[in-house]
Amino acid sequence: MSAPKGTVWRISIRVPDTATDAFETAFQRFAGAVSSQARVDDPDWMVEGYADAEPDRKSVETAVAALARDLELPPPKVRFDLEPTVDWLTQNLQSFPPVIWGRYWIAGTHLEDRCPPGKVPLRIDAGTAFGSGEHPTTGGCLTMIDGLAKRRRHINNVLDLGCGSGILGIAASKTWGAAVTASDIDPESVRVTRRHAAINGVGHAVKAVASAGYGNAVIGRAAPFDLIIANILARPLAQLAHDLGRHLAPDGVAIISGLLTRDGPWMASSHRHAGLHIAKRIEIDGWLTLMLCR
């Protein structure tokens, strides 16, 4: 249900300062603008998300509780408030300047800026949730894709698991001309990915479907994949390690992220049992992205 005119839904939690980045990332799936702040002499930070439609409370609370378990924190109480808004969308657009990761130039569709020479443009609706390309996990994945493109000429079949905005699958399609299956547990992410694929001229190459993990039959029919990209969270990545191995081509490559640096040994162990090893790692501001091969 849309918020009444002149109002906006506010989602908020209080968490330790070391956990703000992780919860901001989680909130991006449910809110169009996300921020965090702290008061003087207060050890906890307030993480807030703003949405123009009423959030699915159960989905938000489930995601927050799961992340708290991953971070070994007590589950924070989630507040949902309907508040007056002061053009929060415009403020969000203004705070979304172009971002560059490797060869990729990411900019909002609202901007008239031209892509710099030699860069691959990725246009994203800054007014929607699901990731604008600024987060270190997105940056790590795009940097990995950029590096892979420098040494591997042929990637024909890609899976973007937990696609969010679709930015990673779209980048892969624009880099190699690959067919991309993009999936997300959230139907709204599927809609946003389809829109972004069309905006970026690869709507014909990107097929977006709703799926919990690898469960959708479309994914099974499209496998095996030359490249699987999964920018989600540590716990589901560990749980899905064997499925990843089964859907990856014999000489395929996987890029996984949504990880804290400390998750590295856990990911190495869970994917080793699936027949995969870590071939490369990138750390950006405490966030980890891994490349996996057989």
Side-chain angles (χ1 to χ4, degrees):
M1 180 181 70
S2 298
K5 186 176 180 179
T7 63
V8 65
W9 282 97
R10 174 177 174 265
I11 315 166
S12 61
I13 55 174
R14 296 177 63 83
V15 296
D17 61 347
T18 54
T20 55
D21 283 346
F23 282 102
E24 282 186 7
T25 301
F27 269 26
Q28 287 174 2
R29 290 187 174 273
F30 308 102
V34 178
S35 66
S36 58
Q37 57 183 318
R39 297 176 180 175
V40 178
D41 298 326
D42 189 338
D44 289 336
W45 282 60
M46 181 76 76
V47 179
E48 301 169 311
Y50 294 89
D52 58 4
E54 184 173 7
D56 183 330
R57 300 189 182 210
K58 184 176 181 181
S59 295
V60 175
E61 290 168 346
T62 299
V64 167
L67 180 55
R69 286 196 302 271
D70 286 347
L71 299 177
E72 300 179 350
L73 295 172
K77 178 179 175 56
V78 186
R79 286 183 55 96
F80 300 89
D81 300 292
L82 193 58
E83 298 187 347
T85 181
V86 184
D87 203 0
W88 65 273
L89 178 55
T90 297
Q91 293 178 7
N92 185 41
L93 293 176
Q94 292 172 346
S95 66
F96 178 27
V99 179
I100 292 177
W101 296 106
R103 71 184 66 194
Y104 303 104
W105 180 80
I106 309 155
T109 53
H110 65 291
L111 293 177
E112 297 181 359
D113 306 44
R114 288 191 175 185
C115 179
K119 297 296 181 182
V120 177
L122 301 174
R123 290 283 187 174
I124 301 295
D125 280 338
T128 58
F130 319 108
S132 61
E134 298 172 281
H135 197 272
T137 59
T138 306
C141 288
L142 289 173
T143 302
M144 284 283 195
I145 294 171
D146 179 48
L148 183 63
K150 292 174 182 176
R151 61 182 180 82
R152 182 161 175 167
R153 300 187 65 182
H154 300 295
I155 296 285
N156 300 313
N157 194 19
V158 177
L159 173 64
D160 182 1
L161 185 75
C163 56
S165 67
I167 189 171
L168 300 177
I170 291 167
S173 185
K174 295 189 78 168
T175 300
W176 289 284
V180 175
T181 303
S183 71
D184 202 286
I185 196 170
D186 183 356
E188 181 65 7
S189 290
V190 175
R191 185 193 68 79
V192 169
T193 292
R194 289 172 180 162
R195 170 171 167 75
H196 285 157
I199 288 171
N200 285 276
V202 292
H204 63 287
V206 177
K207 184 171 187 177
V209 298
S211 181
Y214 294 80
N216 192 306
V218 170
I219 296 175
R221 289 194 295 267
F225 297 97
D226 303 318
L227 172 62
I228 294 177
I229 311 164
N231 183 13
I232 44 179
L233 292 171
R235 188 177 297 277
L237 283 170
Q239 294 170 342
L240 295 170
H242 285 279
D243 283 337
L244 188 156
R246 285 194 293 269
H247 287 79
L248 190 66
D251 63 344
V253 174
I255 297 171
I256 63 173
S257 194
L259 308 168
L260 298 173
T261 300
R262 70 183 187 193
D263 294 322
W266 181 17
M267 292 301 103
S269 175
S270 59
H271 288 85
R272 183 168 57 248
H273 292 301
L276 301 167
H277 70 275
I278 296 175
K280 187 176 180 181
R281 58 188 288 147
I282 293 175
E283 294 183 37
I284 304 174
D285 296 335
W287 292 91
L288 181 65
T289 301
L290 301 174
M291 180 179 288
L292 305 170
C293 300
R294 295 194 189 277

